[in-house]
Amino acid sequence: MLRKMRAHAQAIRAAHLFKAAASRVTGVTSPPPTPGGGDFGIGQEQIVSISRDQNIGALQELGGVRGLSDLLKTNLEKGIHGDDDDILKRKSAFGSNTYPQKKGRSFWRFVWEASQDLTLIILIVAAAASLALGIKTEGIEKGWYDGISIAFAVLLVIVVTATSDYRQSLQFQNLNDEKRNIRLEVTRDGRRVEISIYDIVVGDVIPLNIGDQVPADGVLVAGHSLAVDESSMTGESKIVQKNSTKNPFLMSGCKVADGNGTMLVTGVGVNTEWGLLMASVSEDNGGETPLQVRLNGVATFIGIVGLTVAGVVLFVLVVRYFTGHTKNEQGGPQFIGGKTKFEHVLDDLVEIFTVAVTIVVVAVPEGLPLAVTLTLAYSMRKMMADKALVRRLSACETMGSATTICSDKTGTLTLNEMTVVECYAGFQKMDPPDSSSKLPSAFTSILVEGIAHNTTGSVFRSESGEIQVSGSPTERSILNWAIKLGMDFDALKSESSAVQFFPFNSEKKRGGVAVKSPDSSVHVHWKGAAEIVLGSCTHYMDENESFVDMSEDKMAGLKDAIDDMATRSLRCVAIAFRTFEADKIPTDEEQLSRWVLPEDDLVLLAIVGIKDPCRPGVKNSVLLCQQAGVKVRMVTGDNIQTAKAIALECGILASDSDASEPNLIEGKVFRSYSEEERDRICEEISVMGRSSPNDKLLLVQSLKRRGHVVAVTGDGTNDAPALHEADIGLAMGIQGTEVAKEKSDIIILDDNFESVVKVVRWGRSVYANIQKFIQFQLTVNVAALVINVVAAISAGDVPLTAVQLLWVNLIMDTLGALALATEPPTDHLMDRAPVGRREPLITNIMWRNLFVQAMYQVTVLLILNFRGISILHLKSKPNAERVKNTVIFNAFVICQIFNEFNARKPDEINIFRGVLRNHLFVGIICITTVLQVVIVEFLGTFASTTKLDWEMWLVCIGIGSISWPLAVIGKLIPVPETPVSQYFRINRWRRNSSG
């Protein structure tokens, strides 16, 4: 799809057909552009032309970015007003940030696809032949019954299958819409507000950071080391550096690879190339999942077996017919050579052919792939309610097999509600940490200057004096602390200017900025992991505003203070600065973009301890994972002591005695090992502190080589390789960058570890529900196949007709799948070990249950088939044969209704636990029962049944109800741990070895 999009983008640019293409796209909800710009000094056509052609000359003619912002009535510092009237005018003039999506497949397309099933096509042909011969032999009044009955049953199966598929398609479409609905911050009326990407309008001012997706076309207002990956639009993997003078144009859909900046939106929706491309491509649902592929293979194999058996039965019946062994209603041979008319022979052969087709109908388990689709769609919808957005269907299945979860600490295991609770400034401990009176004014001014400029957050002060702080939790906590120290954010930002910016880097664990003051002095401010920033400090500023040498004793004392805070689970951040000669700063913009901020000879200003408490229920969640055989490992960039304290609090480490290598390890130590050593110790690692994203990747690779199914949480752009490498990548919905989300399989919308555990439960539920349905369907398949085959070969006729088996098929394929595939997850699922990668779909427990139920049904119904008239005392009745066959059909269906309860709990004695909470299951059981009564009592002509008296109904219910105690007895039979399929492999290996 990406290749097509790139080609399309180049074609659009080469042909200069942007406007024409936009006008041809139908269904655009935005009003047409206002001629001449309307309420604005520039019109849509002109602004789109500048953006599309990236015409820097035309932009300069308008007065550059500031001139363009004036024409768009935008304040580059405060953004647009953002009231309803302003938004409406902008949408009217320039369009909205939406694009018409290609319509999904219609309901009739699903009907057409459902009707392409080979078995149903054969049945339609058989129905047509039966209709023609019936009318010819019995006349129009009665001759149409059989043919129309089969045709109606086929039509019912097609409609129900199409309706189910269509509903799932709509559900996937809704989930895809949710996936595309990115939330982001914009600056409106001086404050940062979070809005949907669809609500962006031309003139909006949007901050950009590493990992963000450029949400619309625009121009760069200001930026620091801003680099953009434009490969999604140009097809070139080169990272493009952006600046506000020579290359300010930003294209929607691209990703921010480095740096940060602010953009002015110039084009939205179909007035961007990205919008046009997205309107011309349809969403890919990822094709079939691994489990669907496996089940398709199972269904195909069973289908081949069914076809083979049907072929043998057809051959046997034809031979029996022409050799005179098939009897008519009077007991004589049905075929007599030279005497039986050709029309009768043809009619009889069609009936024989229909018998063979019914065997195929019941043998092909078409419901298996449908059951996977149903359970995945159901799980995806429910997981959304549990704060998990599934991006790739296969992740639902794989999560059930997860053996280890490598989790971040901040925001996932903790609340992400950070507060500065401890501070060392001027080598003195401040108590309370925000008591500014203890600090000299010059010390405070240089401290708050660094905090105000060296941040990706912002502070908004309303006219009423209300303060609103935005940014990451760490940034917010430090900004709030600085405000209490007397920081005037807006004044500091306007008085001095940032010359160069080094965004926080998860490898270096720090970020910096060079600030030029009004007196032309330059300060380089750094902020980051306490022990790392401290390692670059050669001085500290004392309470007398003097620079004092950092002696070894002083350094050791500060390190002890950091360790003390870390052991109390505080995140330690150091703030330092240094002066720099203004004349050494490059004046050329390109040289300045390559200038590296000096990070030596720093002067320590302060070390703060930030408290981020554990989430309340996280300890129970970790314990639940451990009981379920899933090891939780914490991988964090925080200090090793902080990581240890949080791990003890969360239950990842049981006690202090566990806190030793390799159970507790630093990232740099782990990466220093060879690959063989990493593979050897990775099993034992519970906590990795001071880890880089590459350390996380190395850990994932080692665990996978040891056979683990690995789930990884991540939020940063640099986490993308680990998220991609893991079996299941879990991106954070709140703190996660768009790059991380794009590489993930599931997005945890609330960044909560408890939601991760819920995903594990749902993953296991998907697998368990499929297994329940397989057991249920194969029981029906085996029983119906054996009954019809034995009856056909021995008596030349079958007790279960084509119409009846189509009804049974409907119960199995659609209603059964819907009932069993939508079972909610239970705590019992977390008492099992993870499902192995190569564990067979059909376990020994399932084989046992299947065999017990199928053998019971086959035995009872075959006895009824051969001795039913005498057993049921039907000899005196004129339609004894039809009553007997109706009882067999009715008992067979009621057996499936009772067995559906057994299938809910394949390995539990109490099959009724939680049944009333599953309203859909109860509803389907009731619907199936009512429809069965209707078919037997009122649709006898079509279904080849006759009305049954209450005694026969009690007999049928009694036969069905025996399956419940039988299931209890069956579950007491022990099964071997080695899967049945393993025995076949061993025997095959032995034969090959002996050969």
Side-chain angles (χ1 to χ4, degrees):
M1 187 180 90
L2 193 58
R3 194 179 295 114
K4 288 180 182 177
M5 290 170 64
R6 291 168 179 163
H8 198 149
Q10 291 159 359
I12 292 172
R13 189 179 289 111
H16 293 279
L17 293 174
F18 195 95
K19 178 188 170 188
S23 65
R24 283 197 301 271
V25 176
T26 58
V28 184
T29 55
S30 308
T34 307
D39 295 300
F40 303 93
I42 186 171
Q44 178 177 300
E45 292 180 25
Q46 186 181 0
I47 197 170
V48 165
S49 175
I50 293 171
S51 294
R52 180 197 67 208
D53 298 332
Q54 301 198 357
N55 191 334
I56 191 71
L59 180 64
Q60 296 299 336
E61 286 178 14
L62 296 175
V65 176
R66 190 160 292 278
L68 178 59
S69 70
D70 292 339
L71 294 173
L72 292 173
K73 298 184 179 180
T74 298
N75 183 310
L76 291 179
E77 285 73 38
K78 295 188 176 182
I80 63 174
H81 290 299
D83 55 48
D84 292 342
D85 186 52
D86 184 29
I87 298 294
L88 189 62
K89 286 178 180 178
R90 291 177 186 277
K91 286 186 176 180
S92 176
F94 304 108
S96 60
N97 201 28
T98 57
Y99 47 86
Q101 297 176 28
K102 292 188 82 173
K103 287 185 177 180
R105 291 181 295 174
S106 68
F107 172 72
W108 298 110
R109 179 64 184 271
F110 284 100
V111 170
W112 171 252
E113 289 178 359
S115 64
Q116 300 303 299
D117 183 85
L118 180 61
T119 310
L120 296 181
I121 291 171
I122 293 170
L123 279 170
I124 291 169
V125 172
S130 179
L131 180 64
L133 291 168
I135 292 173
K136 185 176 179 182
T137 55
E138 298 182 43
I140 189 70
E141 289 185 5
K142 293 186 177 180
W144 60 274
Y145 287 163
D146 287 347
I148 292 298
S149 297
I150 295 173
F152 178 76
V154 169
L155 182 65
L156 186 63
V157 170
I158 289 172
V159 169
V160 171
T161 304
T163 303
S164 177
D165 288 345
Y166 180 62
R167 288 186 70 252
Q168 305 321 315
S169 173
L170 291 178
Q171 194 167 312
F172 287 135
Q173 190 175 323
N174 292 336
L175 286 168
N176 286 327
D177 291 341
E178 186 67 33
K179 193 165 65 180
R180 285 191 288 257
N181 186 15
I182 298 168
R183 306 290 298 180
L184 73 165
E185 285 189 338
V186 300
T187 303
R188 289 182 177 174
D189 201 24
R191 70 174 72 192
R192 286 193 185 180
V193 293
E194 188 181 86
I195 63 171
S196 164
I197 191 171
Y198 299 130
D199 295 331
I200 291 171
V201 292
V202 169
D204 262 326
V205 175
I206 302 177
L208 297 173
N209 293 298
I210 295 177
D212 287 349
Q213 176 178 310
V214 179
D217 281 2
V219 289
L220 183 65
V221 176
H224 300 287
S225 307
L226 188 71
V228 176
D229 179 0
E230 296 183 347
S231 59
S232 60
M233 291 303 299
T234 64
E236 299 172 9
S237 57
K238 182 181 177 183
I239 303 297
V240 181
Q241 295 290 330
K242 297 289 179 179
N243 56 63
S244 56
T245 55
K246 295 183 180 178
N247 187 13
F249 295 101
L250 298 163
M251 288 190 289
S252 177
C254 300
K255 301 291 190 298
V256 179
D258 197 9
N260 58 32
T262 308
M263 72 175 282
L264 172 68
V265 175
T266 59
V268 293
V270 292
N271 297 316
T272 68
E273 292 188 18
W274 179 258
L276 272 182
L277 295 176
M278 294 307 290
S280 66
V281 296
S282 54
E283 183 70 27
D284 178 18
N285 283 329
E288 292 184 324
T289 69
L291 190 53
Q292 283 174 317
V293 172
R294 287 175 71 184
L295 283 175
N296 283 336
V298 172
T300 302
F301 173 74
I302 296 173
I304 291 170
V305 172
L307 280 170
T308 306
V309 172
V312 171
V313 169
L314 181 63
F315 176 76
V316 171
L317 290 181
V318 169
V319 170
R320 281 177 57 90
Y321 177 77
F322 284 112
T323 55
H325 288 85
T326 304
K327 307 298 182 183
N328 58 24
E329 291 178 1
Q330 289 74 35
Q334 199 162 347
F335 174 79
I336 301 172
K339 292 183 180 181
T340 307
K341 291 182 180 180
F342 176 75
E343 298 86 36
H344 291 161
V345 173
L346 192 59
D347 194 14
D348 293 339
L349 288 177
V350 167
E351 285 186 14
I352 290 172
F353 178 71
T354 306
V355 169
V357 170
T358 60
I359 291 172
V360 177
V361 170
V362 78
V364 177
E366 293 156 323
L368 291 182
L370 174 64
V372 181
T373 306
L374 284 170
T375 192
L376 287 175
Y378 171 77
S379 301
M380 285 173 70
R381 188 174 74 249
K382 291 295 186 180
M383 285 166 77
M384 273 291 290
D386 281 341
K387 305 298 182 186
L389 172 61
V390 178
R391 297 187 73 253
R392 292 183 180 85
L393 275 179
S394 56
C396 291
E397 305 162 9
T398 314
M399 201 63 192
S401 302
T403 57
T404 185
I405 300 172
C406 298
S407 174
D408 284 337
K409 175 186 76 70
T410 306
T412 308
L413 297 169
T414 61
L415 283 170
N416 220 5
E417 296 174 358
M418 300 192 182
T419 312
V420 174
V421 296
E422 201 161 313
C423 171
Y424 287 83
F427 215 87
Q428 301 294 319
K429 184 175 181 179
M430 295 172 61
D431 192 18
D434 52 7
S435 55
S436 57
S437 57
K438 295 184 179 181
L439 296 175
S441 58
F443 187 106
T444 304
S445 64
I446 203 163
L447 176 64
V448 297
E449 177 192 77
I451 292 172
H453 282 279
N454 191 15
T455 182
T456 55
S458 67
V459 178
F460 171 77
R461 189 185 297 269
S462 66
E463 293 179 1
S464 62
E466 181 188 352
I467 295 175
Q468 179 182 325
V469 180
S470 64
S472 70
T474 305
E475 295 288 2
R476 288 201 304 270
S477 66
I478 293 175
L479 286 171
N480 278 316
W481 173 66
I483 289 169
K484 292 174 182 176
L485 294 178
M487 178 184 73
D488 187 332
F489 186 82
D490 291 331
L492 286 167
K493 295 283 274 190
S494 59
E495 287 170 5
S496 51
S497 59
V499 179
Q500 175 64 305
F501 195 82
F502 180 83
F504 179 84
N505 185 300
S506 53
E507 291 284 348
K508 290 197 169 186
K509 308 291 184 191
R510 59 183 178 268
V513 63
V515 178
K516 194 170 187 179
S517 302
D519 60 1
S520 296
S521 63
V522 176
H523 293 153
V524 178
H525 294 275
W526 286 95
K527 178 181 72 184
E531 69 272 25
I532 292 177
V533 173
L534 181 62
S536 299
C537 293
T538 55
H539 298 80
Y540 68 92
M541 183 182 280
D542 66 9
E543 65 274 9
N544 299 317
E545 303 176 13
S546 303
F547 290 1
V548 182
D549 285 341
M550 184 75 73
S551 65
E552 289 186 10
D553 290 344
K554 297 286 187 184
M555 181 72 78
L558 287 171
K559 286 182 177 178
D560 288 342
I562 292 170
D563 285 343
D564 176 60
M565 286 190 283
T567 54
R568 288 180 282 122
S569 70
L570 300 185
R571 169 177 279 190
C572 302
V573 176
I575 301 168
F577 90 110
R578 60 162 290 171
T579 56
F580 194 78
E581 297 82 355
D583 56 359
K584 290 186 179 180
I585 297 176
T587 54
D588 180 75
E589 190 165 343
E590 285 192 19
Q591 291 180 344
L592 181 62
S593 66
R594 293 194 294 269
W595 180 51
V596 179
L597 294 180
E599 48 188 303
D600 56 344
D601 293 330
L602 300 184
V603 178
L604 180 69
L605 293 173
I607 297 174
V608 295
I610 302 172
K611 181 68 175 177
D612 183 17
C614 268
R615 290 185 179 272
V618 75
K619 188 165 188 176
N620 290 335
S621 297
V622 169
L623 182 63
L624 189 63
C625 280
Q626 290 169 345
Q627 290 172 347
V630 182
K631 183 176 176 68
V632 180
R633 307 169 199 269
M634 181 199 293
V635 184
T636 177
D638 268 352
N639 181 297
I640 192 77
Q641 296 300 328
T642 306
K644 172 188 168 184
I646 293 290
L648 286 166
E649 199 174 336
C650 293
I652 294 173
L653 291 176
S655 62
D656 279 321
S657 59
D658 293 335
S660 59
E661 282 194 22
N663 210 12
L664 176 72
I665 195 169
E666 277 201 68
K668 64 181 180 181
V669 176
F670 182 70
R671 85 177 78 110
S672 68
Y673 289 140
S674 66
E675 184 177 298
E676 291 76 16
E677 289 173 317
R678 288 197 297 268
D679 289 353
R680 179 175 54 80
I681 67 165
C682 69
E683 296 267 12
E684 301 174 56
I685 294 173
S686 295
V687 179
M688 185 183 289
R690 278 289 174 249
S691 68
S692 68
N694 190 54
D695 298 331
K696 186 185 285 189
L697 176 62
L698 291 173
L699 178 61
V700 171
Q701 290 170 338
S702 292
L703 289 168
K704 285 182 71 175
R705 283 194 293 268
R706 292 298 299 266
H708 284 279
V709 178
V710 186
V712 168
T713 70
D715 52 17
T717 300
N718 290 335
D719 286 328
L723 289 169
H724 182 70
E725 178 71 23
D727 295 287
I728 313 102
L730 303 162
M732 298 296 108
I734 299 173
Q735 294 299 315
T737 64
E738 286 308 311
V739 172
K741 292 175 186 176
E742 197 172 81
K743 290 294 182 184
S744 69
D745 301 298
I746 297 173
I747 299 173
I748 305 299
L749 298 174
D750 62 353
D751 293 14
N752 191 341
F753 186 77
E754 286 187 70
S755 299
V756 176
V757 179
K758 288 176 183 175
V759 171
V760 175
R761 280 163 55 99
W762 276 111
R764 294 188 174 195
S765 177
V766 167
Y767 206 85
N769 286 351
I770 297 302
Q771 288 184 315
K772 292 171 188 176
F773 180 70
I774 290 174
Q775 178 183 308
F776 171 69
Q777 182 164 44
L778 291 187
T779 302
V780 185
N781 284 138
V782 170
L785 193 62
V786 173
I787 290 166
N788 267 15
V789 167
V790 172
I793 292 176
S794 60
D797 198 5
V798 290
L800 301 172
T801 66
V803 173
Q804 292 170 355
L805 285 177
L806 279 170
W807 165 237
V808 173
N809 221 28
L810 197 62
I811 296 173
M812 290 188 306
D813 284 5
T814 305
L815 298 179
L818 201 58
L820 293 171
T822 55
E823 277 281 317
T826 61
D827 291 335
H828 178 67
L829 292 170
M830 300 300 281
D831 294 333
R832 307 174 182 173
V835 179
R837 286 180 189 270
R838 295 175 180 81
E839 187 170 312
L841 272 174
I842 308 176
T843 64
N844 288 358
I845 289 174
M846 292 166 65
W847 279 121
R848 177 197 63 196
N849 298 343
L850 188 160
F851 181 80
V852 168
Q853 294 295 331
M855 287 304 100
Y856 164 68
Q857 291 178 23
V858 167
T859 304
V860 171
L861 297 181
L862 281 179
I863 289 172
L864 284 179
N865 185 58
F866 295 113
R867 296 286 182 267
I869 293 177
S870 60
I871 292 172
L872 299 172
H873 307 293
L874 302 174
K875 288 181 181 179
S876 59
K877 293 192 177 183
N879 59 344
E881 189 68 24
R882 187 153 180 154
V883 172
K884 179 202 74 175
N885 285 344
T886 302
V887 169
I888 291 173
F889 165 61
N890 198 33
F892 182 66
V893 171
I894 291 174
C895 277
Q896 311 325 317
I897 293 172
F898 277 92
N899 195 36
E900 215 158 340
F901 285 88
N902 294 329
R904 286 186 66 248
K905 306 287 182 183
D907 54 350
E908 292 183 55
I909 298 295
N910 185 1
I911 60 174
F912 303 108
R913 182 184 298 166
V915 70
L916 294 179
R917 288 197 295 271
N918 189 347
H919 303 301
L920 187 59
F921 180 88
V922 174
I924 286 171
I925 292 294
C926 293
I927 290 169
T928 307
T929 305
V930 169
L931 288 176
Q932 180 63 16
V933 172
V934 171
I935 284 173
V936 171
E937 296 297 319
F938 303 105
L939 298 177
T941 305
F942 293 97
S944 302
T945 60
T946 186
K947 290 187 177 183
L948 297 177
D949 56 31
W950 66 271
E951 291 176 327
M952 291 299 105
W953 272 101
L954 284 179
V955 168
C956 296
I957 293 170
I959 291 170
S961 64
I962 291 174
S963 69
W964 283 352
L966 196 65
V968 173
I969 295 168
K971 287 169 185 176
L972 298 176
I973 302 171
V975 294
E977 291 186 9
T978 307
V980 171
S981 56
Q982 194 75 23
Y983 289 113
F984 291 115
R985 280 199 289 270
I986 292 169
N987 291 334
R988 193 183 306 123
W989 176 79
R990 284 173 178 167
R991 285 198 302 271
N992 293 339
S993 299
S994 60

